[in-house]
Amino acid sequence: MDVEHVVGAPHPRLRPFVTRYSGYRMRTEPGVHRGLPSRSLTLVVTMDGTVDLLQGKFATLCGGLHDEAVLITHDGFQHGVQCSLTPLGARAFFGMPAGELAGTTVGLDVLDAPAGELRERLQEATTWTDRFACLDEVFGRLVRPVRQQVEIAWAWQRIAEGAPVGEIAAEVGWSRQHLSARFAAEYGLTPKVMGRVMRFERANRMLRGETRPTLTEVAAACGYTDQAHFNRDWRALCGATPTEWIATELPFVQGGEAGAVAELWP
């Protein structure tokens, strides 16, 4: 396994819209990788080859929020940059709510973004620092004024804190049904499903840590009622139980993290 992985932060003024840049160059055995649900939209620009999904092959793409794993087929060589966008980033960069991209993946050209220019400039840059600066410059040009309903932004924050949907509805003065409808229109997932995705994301991060706790400890820390609940939720969201994911995907993840890794945080 030959893996180079470099992470960096966007320019401070972009951080409400994009939280992380991840540059990668990997030579591994061909296979299928799971793109896991999270609270971020995924924007990818390849510098070589394509990202091969069931929907097609993409040199550049943006994938919305989703509640099941996205299967990525690769031939053993992957080279590009992945950007984690906040839902507000969809409005800032593309002029649409994240809900319009939920559960799907589209090419950046479909979103009227300068896909060709961005890919060409990343290919021409010689360092990851230069590539991340290029992303800053292009994203900076794309940013437009954004407004989001206060109640919806508050609901997202409270869901991230683990608050029950009924409690959030009472806080904003809406019925549960109205909150779910407005939340889903903005983000593409209901508050209940988004809460499951965020809980799954927390558990996944714990399992990726240098000192990995037991599955029982992870389940308890993340609010699963018991191990059976933990397994059911993971199978629904990931396509595998935690034990199965650890056996098939974690060695790949840890191999990447143990390779040539650098952090570029301005």
Side-chain angles (χ1 to χ4, degrees):
M1 182 180 293
D2 176 17
V3 176
E4 180 183 11
H5 180 213
V6 181
V7 297
H11 188 280
R13 81 180 186 93
L14 292 173
R15 291 178 195 172
F17 314 123
V18 54
T19 59
R20 175 184 171 102
Y21 297 147
S22 299
Y24 59 88
R25 186 190 59 78
M26 306 181 185
R27 290 191 183 276
T28 63
E29 291 295 323
V32 178
H33 173 64
R34 290 184 179 94
L36 300 180
S38 76
R39 71 189 67 195
S40 301
L41 290 80
T42 299
L43 186 152
V44 175
V45 180
T46 66
M47 287 183 282
D48 198 327
T50 57
V51 178
D52 299 347
L53 310 176
L54 292 177
Q55 299 100 314
K57 298 184 177 183
F58 299 89
T60 65
L61 64 83
C62 186
L65 300 178
H66 51 102
D67 62 351
E68 59 183 8
V70 175
L71 300 182
I72 305 165
T73 303
H74 62 89
D75 63 3
F77 183 63
Q78 303 171 75
H79 188 200
V81 178
Q82 177 173 312
C83 309
S84 298
L85 306 188
T86 68
L88 197 60
R91 285 194 176 273
F93 298 148
F94 311 128
M96 64 175 64
E100 292 191 20
L101 294 171
T104 191
T105 299
V106 298
L108 288 185
D109 53 334
V110 173
L111 299 174
D112 200 27
E117 175 201 349
L118 186 52
R119 190 170 193 241
E120 182 176 336
R121 290 183 59 181
L122 290 178
Q123 289 171 329
E124 291 174 350
T126 57
T127 69
W128 289 113
T129 299
D130 290 342
R131 291 171 187 133
F132 295 162
C134 170
L135 290 168
D136 280 345
E137 194 274 323
V138 174
F139 287 154
R141 293 198 331 250
L142 291 177
V143 171
R144 66 198 76 194
V146 292
R147 297 182 65 183
Q148 189 178 46
Q149 191 169 8
V150 172
E151 291 87 348
I152 296 300
W154 175 254
W156 177 273
Q157 178 181 328
R158 295 289 284 134
I159 288 292
E161 294 169 354
V165 176
E167 182 177 313
I168 300 169
E171 290 170 354
V172 300
W174 290 350
S175 69
R176 288 182 58 133
Q177 292 79 6
H178 185 65
L179 173 63
S180 292
R182 296 302 298 271
F183 191 96
E186 180 67 23
Y187 301 116
L189 302 177
T190 65
K192 182 176 180 180
V193 173
M194 196 68 239
R196 290 177 63 210
V197 167
M198 290 182 177
R199 180 175 58 193
F200 167 83
E201 186 180 41
R202 289 194 295 271
N204 187 264
R205 287 176 177 170
M206 290 183 69
L207 292 178
R208 293 170 182 252
E210 292 184 9
T211 304
R212 190 170 74 241
T214 66
L215 295 181
T216 300
E217 291 169 335
V218 173
C222 295
Y224 294 97
T225 55
D226 53 30
Q227 193 64 44
H229 180 206
F230 190 21
N231 286 341
R232 285 196 308 272
D233 223 44
W234 264 63
R235 184 172 291 282
L237 294 168
C238 175
T241 66
T243 301
E244 292 167 345
W245 181 83
I246 288 170
T248 59
E249 293 274 346
L250 192 58
F252 176 82
V253 172
Q254 290 180 326
E257 293 173 348
V261 180
E263 292 190 357
L264 305 176
W265 296 92

